[in-house]
Amino acid sequence: MAKIQSIRGMNDILPHETPLWQHIEATAAALLTSYGYQEIRFPLVEQTELFRRSIGEVTDIVEKEMYTFEDRNGDSLTLRPEGTASCVRACEQHGLLFNQVQRLWYVGPMFRHERPQKGRQRQFHQIGVETFGMAGPDIDAELILLSARLWRRLGVDQAVTLELNSIGSISARQTYKAALVDYLSVYVDQLDADSQRRLTTNPLRILDSKDPSTQQLLAGAPRLSEYLDDESRAHFAELRERLDAAGLTYRINERLVRGLDYYGKTVFEWTTDRLGAQGTVCAGGRYDGLVEQLGGRPTPAVGFAMGIERLCLLVEACGTRPVSAATAPHVYMVAVGAAAERAAQPLSEQLRDALPALRLLVNCGGGAFKGQFKRADRSGAALALILGADEVAARQVGVKWLRDDSRPQETVEFEQLAAFLGRELALNA
Ligand code: ATP
Ligand code: MG
């Protein structure tokens, strides 16, 4: 019978890969907590309507990437393609927004039906950060500084660049959109197919186009920065001042946009040239109009999301993956013969009582000394504790150092064992 395989673009994260994931997630969680951000968790599935209304009908996500299905009641549900919509929905539903300030983060899988390739999956994972109730550029700056600190902690700061833009107010963008459409309409034939379509549906997104001929046309197009309203201009200037004062370098990218009306003012991306085409590791922006669009009161909001798969690739590319020694066991307990096997577990439990930080692997499933030592060696443990019938009778264990040939085998009494391990493995500190 044919074996069942995973779904294309939905990957297993295998035991040898999880230490890096845990490292990235733990580093981000600790950093966010230190800045006063709180974790929020929401379901993987929402009403389709939530994403239609928040992400927008004329986006790639809603047009062609959502996993949408009817459940048994006939309701249209969708696997979340991103977290912002659910986060706003949850906050509104539980009254967390009105007259309050929120700094929130979440982590978990997102689902988009895209063409799978390096750095692009159908189930991928994001760490997302959303803030509510703060209208000024101070919080925009905080988010950017926080992300910059995360890159330093992960050792990838030399490999990423901050790209920054302001997309102004809705009305400023309307005026700009009209000017852009006027300009591009003259050259419709030279635009790529997607851009031709967007000329009527979502012209700002044309600025995103990777098509060389479209890009060439855009070089002569009207510039968004010349259309900015005064408030957005001042907001952007102050944001830049704050980043400059912090010594952060960035590149102004006038083509950086979000094609949705509820976005405004700040947009930013962290990009890298180390991952080929999938070079954006983190993307964010201000979305002051979204809460209202979803039925709440007007609430300023700004956030970002980063892709964990791309961060894993980047940490690997930078060679700053931490040694995974932190998950290998300290000790492997070898137990040969019925008496030893019976003694091994209670002894191990006593050691765990005495030394909560001890990572101890007990041989299960029997086997001769030779086979058990092989397993001990493969486990990565620093030392093996050896129990045979003689040891059990004498209430002592043999200690064999697995990574240090110069150290002779020794014998330790059961009663002395916890103290011995605590001292030798520096577990008491
Ligand atoms: P892209 O331009 O790469 O398609 P996007 O604009 O669709 O990205 P966002 O919706 O802003 O991406 O998501 C934020 C981040 O999540 C991206 O910068 C990226 O790191 C990650 N991401 C988005 N889609 C995927 C995917 N299909 N697979 C892996 N990571 C992804
Ligand atoms: Mg995308």
Coordinates of all heavy atoms in Angstrom, one line a residue, residues 112 114 119-121 124 126 280-283 305-307 310, ligand 1:
R112 N -1.2 29.6 3.6 CA -1.5 30.3 2.3 C -1.2 29.4 1.1 O -0.1 28.7 1.1 CB -0.6 31.6 2.1 CG -0.9 32.6 3.2 CD 0.0 33.9 3.0 NE -0.1 34.7 4.1 CZ 0.7 35.8 4.3 NH1 1.4 36.2 3.3 NH2 0.6 36.6 5.4
E114 N 0.3 29.0 -1.8 CA 1.2 29.6 -2.7 C 2.1 28.5 -3.3 O 2.0 27.3 -2.9 CB 2.2 30.5 -1.9 CG 1.5 31.6 -1.1 CD 2.4 32.6 -0.6 OE1 2.9 33.4 -1.4 OE2 2.7 32.7 0.6
G119 N 11.9 29.0 1.5 CA 11.4 30.2 2.2 C 10.0 30.5 1.9 O 9.5 31.6 2.2
R120 N 9.3 29.6 1.3 CA 7.9 29.9 1.0 C 7.1 28.5 1.1 O 7.4 27.6 0.4 CB 7.7 30.5 -0.4 CG 6.3 31.0 -0.6 CD 6.1 31.7 -2.0 NE 6.9 32.9 -2.1 CZ 6.5 34.1 -1.5 NH1 5.5 34.2 -0.7 NH2 7.3 35.2 -1.7
Q121 N 6.3 28.5 2.1 CA 5.5 27.2 2.4 C 4.0 27.5 2.3 O 3.6 28.7 2.3 CB 5.8 26.6 3.8 CG 7.2 26.1 4.0 CD 8.2 27.2 4.1 OE1 7.9 28.3 4.7 NE2 9.4 27.0 3.7
F124 N 3.2 28.0 7.1 CA 4.5 28.6 7.5 C 4.2 29.2 8.9 O 3.1 29.2 9.4 CB 5.0 29.7 6.5 CG 4.1 30.9 6.4 CD1 4.3 32.1 7.0 CD2 3.0 30.8 5.6 CE1 3.5 33.1 6.8 CE2 2.1 31.8 5.4 CZ 2.4 33.0 6.0
Q126 N 4.7 32.4 11.8 CA 5.1 33.8 12.1 C 5.2 34.1 13.6 O 4.4 33.5 14.4 CB 4.0 34.7 11.5 CG 4.1 34.9 10.0 CD 3.0 35.9 9.5 OE1 2.1 36.2 10.2 NE2 3.2 36.4 8.3
T280 N 12.4 38.8 2.3 CA 11.8 39.6 3.4 C 11.6 38.8 4.6 O 10.9 37.8 4.5 CB 10.5 40.2 2.9 OG1 10.7 40.9 1.7 CG2 9.9 41.2 3.9
V281 N 12.3 39.1 5.7 CA 12.2 38.3 6.9 C 11.1 38.9 7.8 O 10.6 38.2 8.7 CB 13.5 38.1 7.6 CG1 14.4 37.2 6.8 CG2 14.2 39.4 8.0
C282 N 10.8 40.2 7.7 CA 9.9 40.8 8.6 C 9.3 42.0 7.9 O 9.9 42.7 7.2 CB 10.7 41.3 9.8 SG 9.8 42.3 11.0
A283 N 8.0 42.1 8.1 CA 7.3 43.2 7.4 C 6.2 43.8 8.4 O 5.6 43.1 9.1 CB 6.6 42.7 6.1
A305 N 5.1 41.4 11.4 CA 5.2 39.9 11.5 C 6.5 39.4 10.8 O 6.9 40.0 9.8 CB 4.0 39.3 10.8
M306 N 7.1 38.4 11.4 CA 8.3 37.8 10.8 C 8.1 36.4 10.5 O 7.3 35.7 11.3 CB 9.5 38.1 11.6 CG 9.4 37.7 13.1 SD 10.7 38.5 14.0 CE 9.9 38.7 15.6
G307 N 8.7 35.9 9.5 CA 8.6 34.5 9.1 C 9.6 33.6 9.8 O 10.8 33.9 9.6
R310 N 12.1 31.6 7.4 CA 13.1 32.5 6.8 C 14.2 32.8 7.9 O 15.4 32.9 7.6 CB 12.5 33.7 6.2 CG 11.7 33.3 5.0 CD 11.1 34.5 4.2 NE 10.1 34.1 3.3 CZ 9.3 34.9 2.6 NH1 9.6 36.2 2.6 NH2 8.4 34.4 1.8
Ligands
ATP1 P1 6.1 37.9 0.4 O1 6.3 39.2 -0.3 O2 7.4 37.1 0.7 O3 5.0 37.0 -0.2 P2 4.1 38.9 2.2 O4 4.1 40.4 1.9 O5 3.1 38.1 1.6 O6 5.6 38.3 1.8 P3 3.4 39.3 4.9 O7 2.0 38.9 4.8 O8 3.8 40.7 5.2 O9 4.3 38.7 3.7 O10 4.1 38.3 6.1 C1 5.2 38.7 6.9 C2 6.3 37.7 6.8 O11 5.9 36.4 6.9 C3 7.1 37.8 5.5 O12 8.0 38.8 5.5 C4 7.8 36.5 5.5 O13 8.9 36.5 6.3 C5 6.7 35.6 6.1 N1 6.0 34.9 5.1 C6 4.9 35.3 4.3 N2 4.4 34.4 3.5 C7 5.2 33.3 3.7 C8 5.2 31.9 3.1 N3 4.3 31.5 2.2 N4 6.2 31.1 3.6 C9 7.1 31.4 4.5 N5 7.1 32.7 5.1 C10 6.2 33.6 4.7

